[in-house]
Amino acid sequence: NAASGPAGITEGPDGALWFTENTGDRVGRITTFGAIAEFALPTSGSGPAGIVVGPDRALWFTENLGNRIGRISLRGVITEFALPPYSAPAGITAGPDGALWFVTYTGNKVGRITTAGALTLYPLPYLGSGPGAIVFGPDGAFWFTEQAADKIGRLGK
């Protein structure tokens, strides 16, 4: 779609690929045969970015400009969870604890959200480090990029 700005992509539990449309404010689904479905987000100008499959088999994504974490079911039902203003969530990953973990670029935090929507935020020690991506590492810790600080951060064990 023109002006969609595809950003994040992940394999869904349904065998399709799910992706965010950063400038189009949509989440898309494409089959390996090329059939596309698009789902408009409730929040205009939200700038969806990272996307991952959650432990509940739904797709979870960040809304960078909308300061939200979103959830879309395989049927296309969207739920949004608000974050503090100026958070700018970016990367997101599923944790071994059954929650979703994400980073907030301007909020300078690592966040945790349960599938029920309970939110916890962990401030980073370096103000303005600009975390962008996050992954659960083989050592049992979360590893994340700090783009503005030119560092790799670690949270956990």
Side-chain angles (χ1 to χ4, degrees):
N1 189 352
S4 64
I9 189 167
T10 193
E11 180 183 354
D14 58 353
L17 292 304
W18 290 74
F19 57 95
T20 56
E21 297 182 37
N22 189 266
T23 55
D25 291 326
R26 292 180 296 265
V27 171
R29 177 187 181 273
I30 186 169
T31 69
T32 55
F33 299 106
I36 297 174
E38 294 174 301
F39 306 92
L41 300 184
T43 302
S44 178
S46 64
I51 188 167
V52 70
V53 176
D56 57 355
R57 293 180 42 90
L59 288 298
W60 288 76
F61 55 95
T62 58
E63 295 183 45
N64 188 264
L65 301 175
N67 298 304
R68 291 172 166 73
I69 300 297
R71 177 192 183 276
I72 184 168
S73 72
L74 295 178
R75 294 185 177 166
V77 177
I78 297 171
T79 307
E80 294 178 311
F81 302 91
L83 298 176
Y86 310 109
S87 290
I92 188 167
T93 194
D97 59 352
L100 292 303
W101 290 75
F102 59 93
V103 290
T104 64
Y105 188 85
T106 54
N108 209 57
K109 294 178 176 61
V110 172
R112 178 185 184 272
I113 189 167
T114 67
T115 55
L119 179 68
T120 308
L121 296 171
Y122 302 92
L124 298 179
Y126 304 105
L127 187 60
S129 66
I134 186 169
V135 67
F136 185 71
D139 62 347
F142 288 94
W143 291 81
F144 51 93
T145 60
E146 294 180 85
Q147 294 172 323
D150 293 322
K151 296 181 182 221
I152 301 294
R154 184 176 178 276
L155 176 69
K157 295 182 180 179

